[in-house]
Amino acid sequence: MRIYVTTILWMLLASCGGQHELPESGGDLVTLTIIGTNDVHGELLPEALHGGLTTFSGYVAAVRSARADDGGAVLLIDAGDMWQGTLESNLAEGAPIVEAYNVLGYAAATIGNHEFDFGPLGELAIPASAGDDPRGALRQRISEAKFPVLNANIIDTASGELIDWENVTASIMTEAAGVQVGIIGLITAHALQVTIAANAAGLEIAPLADAIIREATELRAQGADVVIVTAHAGSYCTEFDDSLDLSSCNLDGEIVRVANALPAGLVDHIIAGHVHEAMAHVINGIAVTSSYSNTHAFDRVDFSIDRATGQIVDRKIFPPQLNCPAFVVATGECAWLSIDSDAVRPATYEGRAVVAMPSILKIAAHAKEYAAVIKSEPLGVTIETPFDLDGNPESPLGNLFTDAVLDSVDAEIAMHNVSGGIRAILPAGELTFGKVFDVMPFDNRVAIIDMSGAELRRVISAQVVRQGRRVGFSGMRVFVACDDDVTNVEMILNNGTVISDDDRIRIAANDFLATGGDGILTPVIPPGGIEYAYDARLTRDLLTQWFRNHGGNLKASDFSSEASPRWNFSDSCVQ
């Protein structure tokens, strides 16, 4: 995630771009504020760079108060990946987040790829028998939501139709301050490649643009004044001074391509997500917003609407709004963990104090108390220097985790999706279960895969072109030479053995990779799926046991591979 030094001024700036021949008003105007969230990932409480839903509730209350004063309205909408990611949420399979969203009064949310992570309701992370519902936890959470969960492009392959689950619909029409608002929900076209395949079996993803056109056309026919899409798909921009300036944006990002594929005027606003980046820009006349992840910030767009005609006569696209509990008086920078000091002042918004809703504080406190004992469990290790992801995929942290997995199983090589499967640094100090959980919050289980040398070579060859998203591994070194259009890959085990195409190699991965996650093993996955030895242990539990067995002190320099890189490229290869 790109994070920039942010002052109060930056936070309060609003870009008024994107007013493409909007009609003039002939009557009374009403302000409709759309607040968007995405990739909350279970963040109830403030942490470094994350304000939590507790802080966010204060911002929502402030905006609602302002709209109550001027006769307008607020709609709160989420773009998916709501509840997986923190121990406080995961221990109850996302129930505290659903409870908090109910209190916050969300108008709608869409399904993200990580909504599938919990699998069957209860302890199982993936189905163990034919009677286990692979989406049991997801469907239970959705049934508990007091807001509609939207999806217009997940298809049940058995029926060939959209999924038919309780409280799930493709789109809705809602009314806010007399304005008719249509809302459509979607998920990224790549969802099945970035979720646990066993939990998404029997599903396929329809094209996003086609689904939007279908639903938006129907919503307009039903009288929608404003049409909003909430999509767990994204792109990014890095500058937010002018919403019409796309020079800092990735114009090849999925949500940009989707927006550009829509007929002009059909959709007014897209709330995006998935890639943990930010947008606050006009794409094809549409306000497209996204606000990083994990409650770092939130989106906001204000529409001014003619009450008599229902027409949008103005819109204000805000840059990502920091979900900040307090600010340092001297610098204006956010104090993410509010400090009781004269040097810090509590946040205000819309001229009102940002005060967390008591009911949200209560939900968060209960979840925190439930998780506290488990989170604080010491593992008998002291981290002397922080382990980070610098040098990815060969970061000290990525190397530590792949080395630990390899040391714990009967395999010759360990692989891990270090660019997406590691979610935090490992800080200096006493190591606890909670710190390991922060680094690896996913309930993926160990998978041992028997693979030929030729298959492994195909996997590694496909990784060569991925650059920053390459797989991390332990147990071998790879040497890549490029000759015109031919890529030559040599793989050497740590014992000095050169891997030939006819060799059989045992690979330790996890069920996410084994079932196609991140596309790492896709080059060798047959139509019926890859065969692997299922190990009931969570990868995270294997790691915590490794730490317990290791004991003592660990420092990052001991796991640096800079002197003997695992990935090696000849001068003939452009990295």
Side-chain angles (χ1 to χ4, degrees), residues 456-477:
L456 179 58
R457 195 180 311 281
R458 290 205 298 275
V459 170
I460 295 299
S461 296
Q463 288 292 300
V464 168
V465 299
R466 296 190 69 174
Q467 297 186 3
R469 295 285 298 182
R470 290 191 189 109
V471 67
F473 54 77
S474 180
M476 70 173 176
R477 299 180 71 201

Side-chain angles (χ1 to χ4, degrees), residues 250-274:
N250 174 17
L251 299 182
D252 192 45
E254 182 178 19
I255 204 63
V256 175
R257 289 183 278 109
V258 169
N260 280 325
L262 302 178
L266 185 62
V267 169
D268 300 298
H269 183 195
I270 297 175
I271 300 168
H274 182 51

Side-chain angles (χ1 to χ4, degrees), residues 483-503:
D483 183 11
D484 295 328
D485 294 332
V486 178
T487 300
N488 298 302
V489 173
E490 183 179 50
M491 303 169 294
I492 303 177
L493 292 173
N494 284 354
N495 63 11
T497 301
V498 177
I499 300 173
S500 71
D501 286 353
D502 294 331
D503 288 339

Side-chain angles (χ1 to χ4, degrees), residues 193-505:
Q193 288 74 54
V194 288
T195 193
I196 298 174
N199 295 338
L203 302 177
E204 62 183 29
I205 309 299
L208 280 74
D210 292 349
I212 293 171
I213 292 169
R214 180 191 70 235
E215 295 298 322
T217 300
E218 177 61 25
L219 290 168
R220 292 293 189 187
Q222 294 175 18
D225 301 314
V226 179
V227 172
I228 300 169
V229 171
T230 177
H232 194 69
S235 186
Y236 67 83
C237 303
T238 60
E239 301 293 337
F240 305 99
D241 291 337
D242 181 358
S243 64
L244 296 175
D245 181 0
L246 305 182
S247 60
S248 74
C249 300
N250 174 17
L251 299 182
D252 192 45
E254 182 178 19
I255 204 63
V256 175
R257 289 183 278 109
V258 169
N260 280 325
L262 302 178
L266 185 62
V267 169
D268 300 298
H269 183 195
I270 297 175
I271 300 168
H274 182 51
V275 298
H276 295 195
E277 298 285 0
M279 296 184 73
H281 292 75
V282 177
I283 309 291
N284 190 23
I286 304 166
V288 181
T289 60
S290 183
S291 52
Y292 303 113
S293 67
N294 298 81
T295 68
H296 176 76
F298 58 92
D299 320 345
R300 179 175 172 182
V301 177
D302 285 2
F303 291 98
S304 293
I305 299 168
D306 188 318
R307 289 183 188 272
T309 65
Q311 290 184 306
I312 298 171
V313 298
D314 192 12
R315 69 179 170 195
K316 181 182 291 186
I317 303 172
F318 291 71
Q321 303 288 280
L322 283 183
N323 182 32
C324 182
F327 291 91
V328 178
V329 174
T331 65
E333 294 180 358
C334 181
W336 288 103
L337 300 178
S338 184
I339 303 168
D340 186 13
S341 165
D342 291 341
V344 171
R345 70 162 183 83
T348 59
Y349 198 66
E350 290 281 352
R352 294 154 171 83
V354 172
V355 179
M357 297 179 184
S359 50
I360 299 295
L361 288 172
K362 184 177 180 180
I363 293 167
H366 178 74
K368 180 180 181 180
E369 180 182 6
Y370 184 56
V373 174
I374 298 171
K375 205 168 187 176
S376 61
E377 178 190 354
L379 300 181
V381 170
T382 298
I383 304 298
E384 290 189 9
T385 58
F387 281 75
D388 57 36
L389 288 168
D390 290 348
N392 224 6
E394 293 190 51
S395 65
L397 186 54
N399 291 346
L400 167 65
F401 274 52
T402 53
D403 287 359
V405 169
L406 186 60
D407 193 37
S408 303
V409 299
D410 179 17
E412 292 147 299
I413 295 168
M415 288 185 171
H416 190 67
N417 53 320
V418 294
S419 295
I422 293 179
R423 290 302 179 101
I425 69 167
L426 206 57
E430 182 183 40
L431 184 63
T432 63
F433 177 83
K435 292 177 182 177
V436 176
F437 184 94
D438 290 342
V439 172
M440 188 170 287
F442 308 111
D443 287 344
N444 300 131
R445 295 176 184 268
V446 180
I448 306 296
I449 304 164
D450 183 75
M451 192 179 296
S452 72
E455 289 172 323
L456 179 58
R457 195 180 311 281
R458 290 205 298 275
V459 170
I460 295 299
S461 296
Q463 288 292 300
V464 168
V465 299
R466 296 190 69 174
Q467 297 186 3
R469 295 285 298 182
R470 290 191 189 109
V471 67
F473 54 77
S474 180
M476 70 173 176
R477 299 180 71 201
V478 168
F479 296 84
V480 183
C482 305
D483 183 11
D484 295 328
D485 294 332
V486 178
T487 300
N488 298 302
V489 173
E490 183 179 50
M491 303 169 294
I492 303 177
L493 292 173
N494 284 354
N495 63 11
T497 301
V498 177
I499 300 173
S500 71
D501 286 353
D502 294 331
D503 288 339
R504 303 302 302 182
I505 306 295

